[in-house]
């Protein structure tokens, strides 16, 4: 039986690491990619580096785009163009780059799964996190577009929109912002990384077959649309 290979970006910590662990537990070959601390060291904003990774690791059946940055935690009017570019480069173009590099092989083989990570911020817009919110809104729209483009290829492309989770990425989020966004969750708690991993594992499998370009909320009840 062919063992499928999954590439998890941002796989060194947080939701990416939890996802990588669960996929390994389910018997997949998993390669993590991150700036450091992962199986492969690369920057998702560097397309040439990603192409070199592709040459080294061979075919990829499942792509999980978990790499991301929060960016500046301040009002829009206090942000700079450089800060915006950094957030959009990593969160949007980083996702675009990995798809452009690894999805063609999936199309050739007639099977593939792409799971992109967005955020509830991309739906609701979190105050004082405009660049992050805008970037995640872009990932949602990107996924919807590509899902339609690849709908008959055997490659399914979906996006998850987590609310707040206990990850290192949120360690730098100010306590008042964290309290605000946790307060929006009807379950009154933040999520656990393994809860996201379960949803990703489903979307990366044959268990999903008629869903593409779709948005999957995992928000403890916060999502209303």
């Amino acid at each position: 039986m062919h063992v499928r290979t999954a590439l998890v970006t941002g796989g060194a910590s947080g939701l990416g690491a939890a996802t990588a662990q669960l996929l390994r537990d389910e018997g997949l070959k998993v390669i993590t990619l991150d700036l450091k601390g992962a199986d492969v060291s690369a920057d998702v904003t560097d397309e040439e580096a990603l192409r070199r990774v592709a040459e080294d690791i061979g075919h990829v059946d499942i792509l999980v785009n978990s790499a991301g940055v929060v960016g500046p935690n301040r009002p829009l009017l206090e942000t700079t163009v450089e800060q915006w570019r950094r957030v959009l480069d990593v969160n949007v173009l980083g996702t675009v780059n990995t798809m452009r590099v690894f999805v063609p092989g999936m199309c050739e083989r007639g099977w593939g799964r792409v799971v992109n990570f967005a955020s509830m911020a991309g739906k609701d817009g979190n105050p004082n996190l405009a660049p992050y919110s805008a970037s995640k809104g872009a990932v949602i729209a990107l996924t919807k577009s590509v899902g339609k483009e690849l709908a008959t290829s055997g490659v399914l492309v979906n996006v998850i929109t987590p609310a707040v989770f206990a990850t290192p990425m949120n360690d730098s989020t100010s306590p008042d912002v964290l309290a605000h966004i946790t307060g929006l969750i009807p379950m009154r708690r933040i999520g656990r990384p393994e809860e996201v991993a379960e949803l990703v594992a489903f979307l990366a499998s044959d268990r999903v077959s008629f869903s593409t370009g779709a948005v999957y909320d995992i928000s403890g009840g916060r999502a209303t649309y």
Side-chain angles (χ1 to χ4, degrees):
M1 181 182 164
H2 168 64
V3 175
R4 287 179 174 144
T5 299
L7 178 68
V8 180
T9 75
S13 65
L15 303 182
T19 296
Q21 185 59 55
L22 180 59
L23 293 179
R24 282 193 181 109
D25 291 346
E26 293 196 345
L28 279 72
K29 177 185 176 185
V30 179
I31 300 163
T32 55
L33 181 150
D34 215 315
L35 292 174
K36 59 185 179 191
D39 299 321
V40 175
S41 178
D43 187 334
V44 292
T45 66
D46 185 344
E47 187 181 339
E48 286 309 307
L50 292 174
R51 293 200 181 279
R52 289 193 294 272
V53 169
E55 289 173 9
D56 290 342
I57 67 177
H59 80 267
V60 167
D61 304 296
I62 296 156
L63 171 63
V64 180
N65 277 310
S66 170
V69 293
V70 175
N73 181 193
R74 62 184 59 171
L76 169 72
L77 302 183
E78 296 175 14
T79 59
T80 66
V81 170
E82 290 73 23
Q83 289 171 332
W84 274 87
R85 285 200 176 114
R86 173 64 182 156
V87 174
L88 294 174
D89 269 355
V90 176
N91 294 358
V92 184
L93 290 174
T95 301
V96 170
N97 288 343
T98 58
M99 291 173 73
R100 289 179 63 234
V101 170
F102 295 103
V103 169
M106 298 179 192
C107 293
E108 286 170 19
R109 292 183 294 274
W111 193 96
R113 298 289 185 269
V114 179
V115 184
N116 293 328
F117 278 46
S119 167
M120 282 308 301
K123 287 184 160 196
D124 291 357
N126 286 343
N128 298 321
L129 286 173
Y132 180 74
S133 300
S135 73
K136 293 304 189 177
V139 172
I140 291 170
L142 165 68
T143 303
K144 290 180 177 183
S145 293
V146 182
K148 292 181 175 75
E149 290 174 12
L150 301 179
T152 59
S153 69
V155 180
L156 306 184
V157 186
N158 293 295
V159 61
I160 63 168
T161 51
V164 191
F165 278 77
T167 68
M169 196 161 92
N170 278 319
D171 290 347
S172 59
T173 306
S174 68
D176 57 321
V177 171
L178 211 52
H180 168 72
I181 48 188
T182 303
L184 297 174
I185 299 173
M187 282 190 180
R188 290 285 178 253
R189 68 171 176 86
I190 60 177
R192 298 186 300 273
E194 58 270 23
E195 292 174 310
V196 164
E198 290 286 354
L199 177 57
V200 178
F202 165 69
L203 293 173
S205 73
D206 284 312
R207 303 194 295 276
V208 60
S209 56
F210 194 58
S211 187
T212 194
V215 185
Y216 286 81
D217 300 318
I218 182 157
S219 70
R222 173 177 163 185
T224 52
Y225 77 99

